[in-house]
Amino acid sequence: MRSTRALQQPSSKNPRVQRGPRSGPLPFGERNVRAVRSPDGLDRWVSRQAAALIVGCLTAWGGPAGAQSLPDFASRVASEQAVVVSITTVSYRTPFALDPDDAQLGTAGPYRGRAVPTSAATGRVRRSLASGFIVSPEGHIVTSAHAVGPKEEMTVRLADGREFVGKLLGADETSDVALLKVDAAGLPSAEIGGNAALAVGDWVAAVGAPFGLERSLTAGIVSAKRVLPESGNFLFIQTDVAINPGSSGSPLFNLGGQVVGMNSMVYTTSGGYMGVSFALPIDMVMEIANQLRAQGQVVRGQLGLSVQELTVGLAHAFALPGGGARGALVARVRQGSMAERAGVRLGDIILGFEARSDMSYDEIQRGIGAKRAGDIAALNVWRAGGVKRIEVQVTARTMPPALTAPAVARAPRGDRLGLVFSSRASGPRNPADEEAGVEVIDTHGPALRAGIGAGDRVVALNDLAIRRIEDYDKAIARLPRGAVVAVLIVRDGRRRYFALATNEER
Protein backbone atom coordinates (compact mmCIF):
# COMPACT_ATOMS: atom_id res chain seq x y z
CA MET A 1 0.00 0.00 0.00
CA ARG A 2 1.51 3.28 -1.06
CA SER A 3 1.04 6.12 1.39
CA THR A 4 1.21 9.88 1.11
CA ARG A 5 1.96 11.74 4.30
CA ALA A 6 -0.97 13.80 5.53
CA LEU A 7 -0.56 17.56 5.66
CA GLN A 8 -1.65 17.91 9.28
CA GLN A 9 -0.33 15.93 12.19
CA PRO A 10 -2.71 14.59 14.85
CA SER A 11 -3.00 16.54 18.07
CA SER A 12 -1.65 13.67 20.17
CA LYS A 13 0.10 10.40 19.59
CA ASN A 14 -2.62 8.29 21.15
CA PRO A 15 -5.95 10.06 20.81
CA ARG A 16 -8.78 8.46 22.71
CA VAL A 17 -12.50 8.71 22.17
CA GLN A 18 -14.36 8.87 25.46
CA ARG A 19 -18.01 8.01 25.61
CA GLY A 20 -20.24 10.18 27.74
CA PRO A 21 -23.93 10.27 28.43
CA ARG A 22 -26.00 10.49 25.29
CA SER A 23 -27.71 13.79 24.68
CA GLY A 24 -29.84 15.24 21.90
CA PRO A 25 -32.54 13.49 19.88
CA LEU A 26 -32.96 9.73 20.13
CA PRO A 27 -31.92 7.79 17.01
CA PHE A 28 -34.48 6.37 14.59
CA GLY A 29 -35.85 3.05 15.78
CA GLU A 30 -35.82 3.71 19.55
CA ARG A 31 -38.82 1.99 21.11
CA ASN A 32 -39.41 4.41 23.96
CA VAL A 33 -40.08 8.07 23.44
CA ARG A 34 -39.69 10.03 26.64
CA ALA A 35 -42.58 12.38 27.26
CA VAL A 36 -42.24 15.88 28.57
CA ARG A 37 -43.79 16.13 32.03
CA SER A 38 -46.59 18.66 32.00
CA PRO A 39 -50.09 18.94 33.41
CA ASP A 40 -53.45 18.06 31.82
CA GLY A 41 -52.22 15.11 29.77
CA LEU A 42 -49.91 17.20 27.62
CA ASP A 43 -47.19 14.63 28.20
CA ARG A 44 -49.24 11.92 26.49
CA TRP A 45 -50.00 14.21 23.55
CA VAL A 46 -46.33 15.07 23.11
CA SER A 47 -45.44 11.39 23.23
CA ARG A 48 -47.97 10.50 20.52
CA GLN A 49 -46.83 13.38 18.29
CA ALA A 50 -43.18 12.44 18.65
CA ALA A 51 -43.91 8.81 17.76
CA ALA A 52 -45.90 9.91 14.71
CA LEU A 53 -43.02 12.14 13.61
CA ILE A 54 -40.54 9.26 13.83
CA VAL A 55 -42.79 6.95 11.82
CA GLY A 56 -43.32 9.66 9.23
CA CYS A 57 -39.59 10.27 8.86
CA LEU A 58 -38.85 6.57 8.46
CA THR A 59 -41.60 6.23 5.83
CA ALA A 60 -40.36 9.22 3.86
CA TRP A 61 -36.75 8.06 4.03
CA GLY A 62 -37.31 4.53 2.83
CA GLY A 63 -40.66 4.84 1.07
CA PRO A 64 -41.39 4.68 -2.64
CA ALA A 65 -41.16 8.46 -3.15
CA GLY A 66 -37.96 8.93 -1.51
CA ALA A 67 -35.18 8.18 -1.50
CA GLN A 68 -32.41 5.93 -0.54
CA SER A 69 -32.50 2.65 1.31
CA LEU A 70 -29.55 1.22 3.18
CA PRO A 71 -26.95 -0.45 0.92
CA ASP A 72 -26.99 -4.23 0.54
CA PHE A 73 -23.47 -5.65 0.47
CA ALA A 74 -24.31 -9.13 1.78
CA SER A 75 -26.11 -10.37 -1.34
CA ARG A 76 -23.04 -9.97 -3.57
CA VAL A 77 -20.13 -10.54 -1.23
CA ALA A 78 -19.67 -14.23 -2.20
CA SER A 79 -19.31 -13.46 -5.92
CA GLU A 80 -17.03 -10.51 -5.16
CA GLN A 81 -14.76 -12.57 -2.90
CA ALA A 82 -14.48 -15.28 -5.58
CA VAL A 83 -12.56 -13.00 -7.99
CA VAL A 84 -10.13 -11.60 -5.39
CA VAL A 85 -6.71 -13.20 -4.92
CA SER A 86 -3.96 -12.89 -2.33
CA ILE A 87 -0.40 -12.46 -3.57
CA THR A 88 2.60 -13.55 -1.52
CA THR A 89 6.08 -12.62 -2.65
CA VAL A 90 9.57 -13.77 -1.73
CA SER A 91 12.38 -11.33 -2.48
CA TYR A 92 16.11 -11.01 -2.06
CA ARG A 93 16.77 -8.02 0.18
CA THR A 94 19.20 -6.75 2.73
CA PRO A 95 18.43 -7.53 6.40
CA PHE A 96 15.69 -5.47 8.01
CA ALA A 97 14.27 -4.27 4.71
CA LEU A 98 11.40 -1.78 4.88
CA ASP A 99 8.26 -2.11 2.83
CA PRO A 100 4.77 -0.61 3.14
CA ASP A 101 3.01 -3.91 2.41
CA ASP A 102 4.96 -6.03 4.90
CA ALA A 103 2.39 -7.84 7.02
CA GLN A 104 2.72 -11.05 9.02
CA LEU A 105 -0.30 -12.75 10.49
CA GLY A 106 -0.24 -13.06 14.27
CA THR A 107 2.05 -10.07 14.82
CA ALA A 108 0.36 -7.07 16.35
CA GLY A 109 1.24 -3.47 15.71
CA PRO A 110 1.64 -1.09 12.78
CA TYR A 111 3.20 -2.38 9.58
CA ARG A 112 3.99 0.77 7.60
CA GLY A 113 7.75 1.21 7.73
CA ARG A 114 8.27 -1.63 10.22
CA ALA A 115 11.58 -3.48 10.00
CA VAL A 116 11.05 -7.09 8.89
CA PRO A 117 13.92 -9.44 9.77
CA THR A 118 15.43 -11.45 6.91
CA SER A 119 17.51 -14.59 6.79
CA ALA A 120 21.12 -13.78 7.55
CA ALA A 121 22.28 -16.51 5.19
CA THR A 122 20.19 -15.78 2.13
CA GLY A 123 18.78 -12.28 2.69
CA ARG A 124 15.33 -13.61 1.77
CA VAL A 125 12.19 -12.11 3.26
CA ARG A 126 8.66 -13.44 2.93
CA ARG A 127 6.42 -10.49 2.18
CA SER A 128 2.76 -10.99 2.73
CA LEU A 129 0.43 -9.79 1.38
CA ALA A 130 -0.87 -7.88 -1.57
CA SER A 131 -4.25 -8.34 -3.22
CA GLY A 132 -5.46 -8.50 -6.80
CA PHE A 133 -8.46 -9.49 -8.88
CA ILE A 134 -9.02 -11.85 -11.81
CA VAL A 135 -9.93 -10.12 -15.07
CA SER A 136 -10.08 -13.13 -17.42
CA PRO A 137 -11.02 -16.83 -17.09
CA GLU A 138 -7.55 -17.65 -18.48
CA GLY A 139 -5.87 -16.38 -15.32
CA HIS A 140 -4.98 -12.73 -15.94
CA ILE A 141 -4.81 -10.79 -12.67
CA VAL A 142 -4.55 -7.05 -12.04
CA THR A 143 -2.77 -5.70 -8.96
CA SER A 144 -0.54 -2.82 -7.80
CA ALA A 145 2.88 -2.57 -9.39
CA HIS A 146 4.56 -1.49 -6.16
CA ALA A 147 3.28 -4.61 -4.40
CA VAL A 148 4.71 -7.25 -6.73
CA GLY A 149 7.86 -6.16 -8.43
CA PRO A 150 10.60 -6.80 -8.78
CA LYS A 151 10.34 -10.16 -6.96
CA GLU A 152 12.11 -13.49 -7.27
CA GLU A 153 9.07 -15.64 -6.47
CA MET A 154 5.37 -14.92 -6.41
CA THR A 155 2.52 -17.13 -5.21
CA VAL A 156 -1.12 -16.36 -6.03
CA ARG A 157 -3.76 -17.84 -3.75
CA LEU A 158 -7.33 -18.05 -5.06
CA ALA A 159 -10.47 -17.73 -2.97
CA ASP A 160 -10.99 -21.51 -3.16
CA GLY A 161 -7.57 -22.11 -1.59
CA ARG A 162 -5.68 -23.18 -4.73
CA GLU A 163 -2.20 -21.71 -5.16
CA PHE A 164 -0.34 -20.95 -8.38
CA VAL A 165 3.00 -19.49 -9.32
CA GLY A 166 2.39 -16.00 -10.64
CA LYS A 167 4.17 -14.66 -13.72
CA LEU A 168 4.59 -10.91 -14.11
CA LEU A 169 3.55 -9.93 -17.64
CA GLY A 170 4.26 -6.24 -17.12
CA ALA A 171 4.23 -3.43 -14.60
CA ASP A 172 3.67 0.28 -15.10
CA GLU A 173 5.28 2.14 -12.23
CA THR A 174 3.88 5.48 -13.38
CA SER A 175 0.29 4.43 -12.77
CA ASP A 176 1.07 1.63 -10.26
CA VAL A 177 -0.73 -1.03 -12.33
CA ALA A 178 0.66 -4.52 -12.87
CA LEU A 179 -0.65 -7.55 -14.80
CA LEU A 180 0.03 -11.13 -13.66
CA LYS A 181 -0.76 -14.51 -15.21
CA VAL A 182 -1.35 -17.88 -13.56
CA ASP A 183 -1.51 -21.21 -15.40
CA ALA A 184 -5.21 -21.91 -14.93
CA ALA A 185 -8.43 -21.90 -16.92
CA GLY A 186 -12.12 -21.46 -16.21
CA LEU A 187 -11.55 -19.04 -13.37
CA PRO A 188 -14.30 -16.69 -12.17
CA SER A 189 -13.51 -13.19 -13.42
CA ALA A 190 -14.59 -9.78 -12.22
CA GLU A 191 -17.41 -7.90 -13.87
CA ILE A 192 -15.84 -4.66 -15.03
CA GLY A 193 -17.96 -1.56 -14.58
CA GLY A 194 -17.44 1.99 -15.81
CA ASN A 195 -16.53 5.24 -14.13
CA ALA A 196 -18.84 7.62 -15.98
CA ALA A 197 -21.81 6.88 -13.72
CA LEU A 198 -19.82 6.79 -10.47
CA ALA A 199 -20.68 9.87 -8.42
CA VAL A 200 -19.54 11.43 -5.17
CA GLY A 201 -21.71 9.95 -2.42
CA ASP A 202 -22.13 6.53 -4.07
CA TRP A 203 -21.62 3.48 -1.88
CA VAL A 204 -18.56 1.36 -2.65
CA ALA A 205 -16.81 -1.62 -1.06
CA ALA A 206 -13.37 -3.24 -1.14
CA VAL A 207 -12.40 -6.89 -0.71
CA GLY A 208 -8.77 -7.56 0.16
CA ALA A 209 -6.34 -9.04 2.66
CA PRO A 210 -5.47 -6.32 5.19
CA PHE A 211 -2.64 -7.56 7.43
CA GLY A 212 -3.06 -10.99 5.83
CA LEU A 213 -6.76 -11.30 6.75
CA GLU A 214 -7.99 -12.64 3.44
CA ARG A 215 -11.42 -11.95 1.92
CA SER A 216 -12.10 -8.99 4.23
CA LEU A 217 -14.90 -6.66 3.15
CA THR A 218 -14.83 -2.95 4.00
CA ALA A 219 -17.30 -0.34 2.76
CA GLY A 220 -17.80 3.39 2.51
CA ILE A 221 -18.67 6.10 0.01
CA VAL A 222 -16.97 7.99 -2.79
CA SER A 223 -15.68 11.14 -1.09
CA ALA A 224 -14.31 12.96 -4.15
CA LYS A 225 -12.66 12.58 -7.52
CA ARG A 226 -9.36 14.42 -7.73
CA VAL A 227 -6.05 14.63 -9.52
CA LEU A 228 -3.00 14.09 -7.31
CA PRO A 229 0.06 15.83 -8.82
CA GLU A 230 2.41 13.95 -6.50
CA SER A 231 1.11 10.65 -7.90
CA GLY A 232 1.52 11.06 -11.63
CA ASN A 233 -1.28 13.58 -12.20
CA PHE A 234 -3.79 10.74 -12.52
CA LEU A 235 -7.44 11.11 -11.58
CA PHE A 236 -8.15 9.16 -8.38
CA ILE A 237 -11.36 8.04 -6.71
CA GLN A 238 -11.14 9.20 -3.09
CA THR A 239 -13.14 7.09 -0.63
CA ASP A 240 -13.44 6.49 3.10
CA VAL A 241 -13.19 2.72 2.61
CA ALA A 242 -10.70 1.21 5.06
CA ILE A 243 -7.53 0.19 3.16
CA ASN A 244 -4.53 -1.19 5.06
CA PRO A 245 -1.24 -2.99 4.27
CA GLY A 246 -2.10 -6.13 2.31
CA SER A 247 -5.00 -4.50 0.47
CA SER A 248 -2.91 -2.89 -2.26
CA GLY A 249 -4.32 -3.89 -5.65
CA SER A 250 -7.69 -4.95 -4.26
CA PRO A 251 -10.83 -4.16 -6.27
CA LEU A 252 -13.29 -1.41 -5.44
CA PHE A 253 -16.88 -2.56 -6.10
CA ASN A 254 -20.09 -0.61 -6.62
CA LEU A 255 -23.42 -1.83 -5.26
CA GLY A 256 -24.04 -3.75 -8.47
CA GLY A 257 -20.97 -5.93 -7.83
CA GLN A 258 -18.99 -4.33 -10.66
CA VAL A 259 -15.35 -3.32 -10.24
CA VAL A 260 -15.03 0.46 -10.56
CA GLY A 261 -11.50 0.95 -9.27
CA MET A 262 -8.26 -0.56 -7.96
CA ASN A 263 -7.23 0.48 -4.45
CA SER A 264 -3.76 1.97 -4.59
CA MET A 265 -2.83 4.20 -1.67
CA VAL A 266 -3.88 6.10 1.46
CA TYR A 267 -3.13 9.41 3.13
CA THR A 268 -1.64 8.60 6.52
CA THR A 269 0.65 9.70 9.32
CA SER A 270 0.66 6.27 10.97
CA GLY A 271 1.14 3.89 8.04
CA GLY A 272 -2.41 2.60 8.38
CA TYR A 273 -5.90 3.70 7.46
CA MET A 274 -6.91 7.18 8.63
CA GLY A 275 -10.13 7.72 6.69
CA VAL A 276 -8.76 8.78 3.28
CA SER A 277 -8.11 6.14 0.61
CA PHE A 278 -7.49 6.41 -3.12
CA ALA A 279 -8.37 4.05 -5.97
CA LEU A 280 -7.43 4.24 -9.65
CA PRO A 281 -10.50 4.34 -11.96
CA ILE A 282 -11.13 0.97 -13.58
CA ASP A 283 -11.36 2.49 -17.08
CA MET A 284 -7.72 3.58 -16.84
CA VAL A 285 -6.63 0.38 -15.08
CA MET A 286 -8.03 -1.85 -17.81
CA GLU A 287 -6.59 0.29 -20.61
CA ILE A 288 -3.15 -0.06 -19.03
CA ALA A 289 -3.65 -3.78 -18.38
CA ASN A 290 -4.55 -4.34 -22.03
CA GLN A 291 -1.35 -2.61 -23.15
CA LEU A 292 0.70 -4.69 -20.71
CA ARG A 293 -0.92 -7.85 -22.04
CA ALA A 294 -0.28 -6.92 -25.66
CA GLN A 295 3.24 -5.48 -25.46
CA GLY A 296 4.51 -5.77 -21.89
CA GLN A 297 4.76 -2.02 -21.42
CA VAL A 298 2.71 1.17 -21.60
CA VAL A 299 3.47 3.74 -24.30
CA ARG A 300 2.14 7.19 -23.42
CA GLY A 301 1.91 10.30 -25.50
CA GLN A 302 3.46 13.58 -24.48
CA LEU A 303 3.30 17.19 -25.58
CA GLY A 304 6.68 18.10 -24.13
CA LEU A 305 5.34 20.42 -21.45
CA SER A 306 4.40 20.42 -17.76
CA VAL A 307 1.40 22.23 -16.30
CA GLN A 308 0.16 23.18 -12.85
CA GLU A 309 -3.17 24.19 -11.39
CA LEU A 310 -4.07 27.85 -11.82
CA THR A 311 -4.85 29.84 -8.66
CA VAL A 312 -6.72 33.12 -8.41
CA GLY A 313 -3.45 34.89 -7.64
CA LEU A 314 -1.71 33.42 -10.67
CA ALA A 315 -4.70 34.24 -12.88
CA HIS A 316 -4.39 37.85 -11.71
CA ALA A 317 -0.63 37.86 -12.35
CA PHE A 318 -1.19 36.76 -15.95
CA ALA A 319 -4.14 39.15 -16.44
CA LEU A 320 -6.61 36.35 -17.18
CA PRO A 321 -10.08 37.93 -17.32
CA GLY A 322 -13.05 36.73 -15.30
CA GLY A 323 -11.33 36.42 -11.95
CA GLY A 324 -11.60 32.60 -12.01
CA ALA A 325 -8.94 29.96 -11.80
CA ARG A 326 -9.89 27.52 -14.57
CA GLY A 327 -7.27 26.27 -16.97
CA ALA A 328 -3.72 24.95 -16.60
CA LEU A 329 -0.57 27.06 -16.37
CA VAL A 330 2.42 25.92 -18.44
CA ALA A 331 5.31 25.63 -15.98
CA ARG A 332 7.79 24.03 -18.37
CA VAL A 333 8.33 23.59 -22.11
CA ARG A 334 11.05 21.05 -22.85
CA GLN A 335 13.69 22.08 -25.31
CA GLY A 336 13.32 20.40 -28.68
CA SER A 337 9.82 19.14 -27.88
CA MET A 338 6.86 19.32 -30.22
CA ALA A 339 5.28 21.86 -27.89
CA GLU A 340 8.29 24.16 -28.29
CA ARG A 341 8.26 23.73 -32.06
CA ALA A 342 4.54 24.50 -32.19
CA GLY A 343 5.10 27.74 -30.28
CA VAL A 344 3.92 26.93 -26.74
CA ARG A 345 5.68 29.19 -24.25
CA LEU A 346 6.43 29.24 -20.56
CA GLY A 347 3.59 31.05 -18.78
CA ASP A 348 0.92 30.18 -21.36
CA ILE A 349 -2.43 29.22 -19.85
CA ILE A 350 -4.15 26.28 -21.55
CA LEU A 351 -7.87 26.99 -21.47
CA GLY A 352 -8.98 23.79 -23.20
CA PHE A 353 -8.82 21.51 -26.22
CA GLU A 354 -10.57 21.64 -29.59
CA ALA A 355 -13.76 23.73 -29.28
CA ARG A 356 -13.60 24.21 -25.51
CA SER A 357 -11.96 27.10 -23.68
CA ASP A 358 -13.51 26.55 -20.25
CA MET A 359 -11.91 23.33 -19.07
CA SER A 360 -10.86 22.74 -15.48
CA TYR A 361 -7.33 21.78 -14.52
CA ASP A 362 -8.44 18.18 -13.92
CA GLU A 363 -10.08 17.99 -17.35
CA ILE A 364 -6.96 19.33 -19.04
CA GLN A 365 -4.73 16.89 -17.18
CA ARG A 366 -6.93 13.97 -18.20
CA GLY A 367 -7.03 15.27 -21.77
CA ILE A 368 -3.24 15.45 -21.99
CA GLY A 369 -2.91 11.97 -20.48
CA ALA A 370 -5.38 10.49 -22.96
CA LYS A 371 -3.42 11.60 -26.03
CA ARG A 372 -1.49 8.97 -27.94
CA ALA A 373 1.60 9.24 -30.11
CA GLY A 374 0.65 10.67 -33.50
CA ASP A 375 -2.44 12.53 -32.29
CA ILE A 376 -2.81 16.27 -32.83
CA ALA A 377 -3.72 18.27 -29.73
CA ALA A 378 -5.45 21.57 -30.59
CA LEU A 379 -4.76 23.84 -27.60
CA ASN A 380 -6.63 27.05 -26.81
CA VAL A 381 -4.04 29.17 -25.02
CA TRP A 382 -4.24 32.50 -23.16
CA ARG A 383 -1.18 34.67 -23.80
CA ALA A 384 -0.51 38.40 -23.55
CA GLY A 385 -4.14 39.42 -23.30
CA GLY A 386 -5.58 37.16 -26.00
CA VAL A 387 -6.46 33.58 -26.93
CA LYS A 388 -4.31 31.69 -29.43
CA ARG A 389 -4.91 28.28 -31.00
CA ILE A 390 -1.83 26.07 -31.15
CA GLU A 391 -1.74 22.58 -32.64
CA VAL A 392 0.83 20.22 -31.12
CA GLN A 393 1.69 16.77 -32.43
CA VAL A 394 1.83 14.15 -29.68
CA THR A 395 4.98 12.03 -29.46
CA ALA A 396 5.84 8.92 -27.43
CA ARG A 397 6.99 9.77 -23.93
CA THR A 398 10.66 9.30 -23.13
CA MET A 399 12.57 9.84 -19.91
CA PRO A 400 14.31 13.26 -19.88
CA PRO A 401 18.06 13.28 -19.26
CA ALA A 402 19.39 14.43 -15.93
CA LEU A 403 20.15 18.12 -15.94
CA THR A 404 22.90 19.63 -13.85
CA ALA A 405 24.59 23.00 -13.52
CA PRO A 406 27.34 24.35 -11.29
CA ALA A 407 26.54 26.75 -8.48
CA VAL A 408 28.73 29.78 -7.93
CA ALA A 409 28.67 31.47 -4.53
CA ARG A 410 27.58 35.05 -4.25
CA ALA A 411 26.96 37.32 -1.31
CA PRO A 412 23.33 37.09 -0.09
CA ARG A 413 20.98 39.79 -1.26
CA GLY A 414 17.38 40.61 -0.58
CA ASP A 415 14.84 42.09 -2.98
CA ARG A 416 11.26 43.27 -3.35
CA LEU A 417 9.91 39.72 -3.37
CA GLY A 418 11.64 38.71 -0.15
CA LEU A 419 14.24 36.46 -1.77
CA VAL A 420 17.91 36.03 -0.81
CA PHE A 421 20.05 34.35 -3.46
CA SER A 422 23.14 32.33 -4.19
CA SER A 423 23.84 32.96 -7.86
CA ARG A 424 24.95 30.91 -10.84
CA ALA A 425 26.73 34.05 -11.95
CA SER A 426 28.97 32.27 -14.42
CA GLY A 427 26.00 30.65 -16.14
CA PRO A 428 25.32 26.96 -16.71
CA ARG A 429 28.07 24.64 -17.86
CA ASN A 430 25.78 23.24 -20.56
CA PRO A 431 24.13 25.96 -22.72
CA ALA A 432 21.12 23.68 -23.23
CA ASP A 433 20.60 23.31 -19.47
CA GLU A 434 16.97 24.14 -18.70
CA GLU A 435 17.51 23.80 -14.96
CA ALA A 436 19.74 26.87 -14.64
CA GLY A 437 18.44 29.70 -12.52
CA VAL A 438 19.09 31.53 -9.29
CA GLU A 439 19.31 29.50 -6.08
CA VAL A 440 17.42 30.74 -3.02
CA ILE A 441 19.34 30.56 0.26
CA ASP A 442 16.84 32.42 2.45
CA THR A 443 13.40 34.01 2.29
CA HIS A 444 11.37 36.64 4.08
CA GLY A 445 8.20 38.64 3.52
CA PRO A 446 6.13 37.61 0.47
CA ALA A 447 8.38 34.69 -0.51
CA LEU A 448 8.37 33.25 2.99
CA ARG A 449 4.58 33.50 3.28
CA ALA A 450 4.15 31.81 -0.11
CA GLY A 451 6.20 28.79 0.97
CA ILE A 452 9.42 29.33 -1.01
CA GLY A 453 12.45 28.09 0.90
CA ALA A 454 16.19 27.59 0.87
CA GLY A 455 17.33 25.29 -1.93
CA ASP A 456 14.58 26.36 -4.32
CA ARG A 457 15.69 27.83 -7.64
CA VAL A 458 13.98 30.67 -9.49
CA VAL A 459 13.90 29.82 -13.20
CA ALA A 460 11.27 32.28 -14.50
CA LEU A 461 9.28 35.40 -13.64
CA ASN A 462 5.92 35.14 -15.40
CA ASP A 463 6.96 33.87 -18.87
CA LEU A 464 10.49 35.31 -18.79
CA ALA A 465 13.17 32.64 -18.32
CA ILE A 466 15.78 33.34 -15.61
CA ARG A 467 19.11 31.65 -16.27
CA ARG A 468 21.42 33.85 -14.20
CA ILE A 469 21.28 36.64 -11.66
CA GLU A 470 21.52 39.35 -14.33
CA ASP A 471 18.30 38.10 -15.94
CA TYR A 472 16.56 38.26 -12.58
CA ASP A 473 17.85 41.77 -11.79
CA LYS A 474 16.53 43.14 -15.08
CA ALA A 475 13.14 41.48 -14.64
CA ILE A 476 12.65 42.62 -11.04
CA ALA A 477 13.65 46.19 -11.91
CA ARG A 478 10.85 46.44 -14.47
CA LEU A 479 8.11 45.45 -12.02
CA PRO A 480 5.80 48.35 -11.14
CA ARG A 481 5.06 49.22 -7.54
CA GLY A 482 2.56 46.81 -5.96
CA ALA A 483 2.77 44.32 -8.84
CA VAL A 484 1.85 40.64 -8.52
CA VAL A 485 4.35 38.39 -10.27
CA ALA A 486 4.33 34.64 -10.98
CA VAL A 487 7.65 33.16 -9.81
CA LEU A 488 8.55 29.73 -11.24
CA ILE A 489 10.45 27.58 -8.75
CA VAL A 490 12.31 24.28 -9.23
CA ARG A 491 12.25 22.06 -6.13
CA ASP A 492 13.42 18.43 -6.11
CA GLY A 493 13.20 18.32 -9.90
CA ARG A 494 9.59 19.56 -9.98
CA ARG A 495 8.46 22.98 -11.19
CA ARG A 496 5.77 25.16 -9.68
CA TYR A 497 4.65 28.78 -9.97
CA PHE A 498 4.03 30.97 -6.90
CA ALA A 499 2.17 34.29 -7.00
CA LEU A 500 4.10 36.98 -5.08
CA ALA A 501 3.19 40.60 -4.47
CA THR A 502 6.13 42.99 -4.36
CA ASN A 503 7.13 44.18 -0.91
CA GLU A 504 7.35 47.99 -1.03
CA GLU A 505 8.05 48.50 2.68
CA ARG A 506 11.79 47.82 2.39
Side-chain angles (χ1 to χ4, degrees), residues 408-414 419-423 425 438-439 441 469:
V408 179
R410 170 183 170 139
R413 62 186 292 274
L419 297 169
V420 180
F421 292 109
S422 171
S423 168
V438 188
E439 184 175 351
I441 62 171
I469 194 64

Side-chain angles (χ1 to χ4, degrees), residues 37-385:
R37 295 293 180 185
S38 56
D40 301 326
L42 182 59
D43 55 347
R44 290 189 297 275
W45 180 86
V46 170
S47 179
R48 288 195 299 271
Q49 296 299 315
L53 177 62
I54 291 175
V55 172
C57 289
L58 288 172
T59 302
W61 186 33
Q68 300 187 1
S69 57
L70 293 175
D72 176 18
F73 297 108
S75 63
R76 297 186 180 273
V77 66
S79 60
E80 293 171 352
Q81 289 175 332
V83 304
V84 179
V85 303
S86 299
I87 303 167
T88 303
T89 58
V90 177
S91 310
Y92 289 91
R93 305 188 188 181
T94 56
F96 293 99
L98 299 180
D99 196 283
D101 282 301
D102 287 327
Q104 295 178 348
L105 210 57
T107 305
Y111 294 95
R112 172 64 178 173
R114 180 171 61 82
V116 180
T118 64
S119 166
T122 64
R124 297 180 72 170
V125 56
R126 184 174 179 84
R127 219 192 91 188
S128 182
L129 289 160
S131 301
F133 54 100
I134 305 168
V135 295
S136 79
E138 295 77 29
H140 292 92
I141 295 167
V142 168
T143 187
S144 288
H146 78 269
V148 297
K151 310 295 180 216
E152 298 297 329
E153 300 174 15
M154 184 161 43
T155 302
V156 177
R157 180 181 175 90
L158 306 186
D160 60 12
R162 289 183 292 167
E163 292 188 352
F164 297 88
V165 174
K167 177 183 178 182
L168 182 64
L169 297 185
D172 180 47
E173 295 183 0
T174 302
S175 63
D176 194 36
V177 176
L179 183 66
L180 314 181
K181 179 72 168 63
V182 296
D183 187 13
L187 299 181
S189 58
E191 181 181 354
I192 304 300
N195 297 120
L198 189 67
V200 173
D202 282 353
W203 286 97
V204 285
V207 178
F211 305 111
L213 303 172
E214 296 179 342
R215 298 179 298 282
S216 296
L217 176 78
T218 55
I221 64 167
V222 176
S223 305
K225 295 181 180 181
R226 66 177 77 252
V227 171
L228 299 178
E230 64 270 29
S231 298
N233 284 316
F234 294 112
L235 179 70
F236 282 85
I237 302 168
Q238 178 185 330
T239 74
D240 62 355
V241 176
I243 301 298
N244 282 291
S247 292
S248 290
S250 63
L252 186 72
F253 294 97
N254 62 16
L255 285 181
Q258 299 173 319
V259 177
V260 294
M262 184 192 76
N263 295 301
S264 178
M265 65 180 183
V266 298
Y267 264 41
T268 182
T269 58
S270 66
Y273 170 73
M274 295 185 68
V276 182
S277 305
F278 293 96
L280 289 165
I282 195 61
D283 295 344
M284 186 189 78
V285 171
M286 293 308 298
E287 180 181 352
I288 292 171
N290 289 334
Q291 289 193 51
L292 293 175
R293 182 176 181 178
Q295 55 200 30
Q297 62 179 345
V298 177
V299 179
R300 291 184 172 86
Q302 67 170 357
L303 301 180
L305 53 81
S306 301
V307 296
Q308 73 173 74
E309 190 168 5
L310 194 67
T311 65
V312 173
L314 291 172
H316 177 66
F318 285 97
L320 185 67
R326 298 181 70 82
L329 177 60
V330 176
R332 179 178 186 177
V333 180
R334 293 186 177 90
Q335 290 186 349
S337 67
M338 299 304 292
E340 184 186 53
R341 296 178 189 177
V344 180
R345 298 179 185 174
L346 184 73
D348 282 347
I349 298 174
I350 301 174
L351 304 176
F353 297 101
E354 309 301 337
R356 291 192 59 186
S357 297
D358 60 347
M359 296 176 71
S360 67
Y361 172 73
D362 289 354
E363 290 176 314
I364 292 171
Q365 283 283 57
R366 294 198 298 272
I368 293 175
K371 299 296 183 183
R372 298 185 177 230
D375 291 349
I376 299 296
L379 310 180
N380 298 314
V381 171
W382 173 264
R383 179 195 298 167

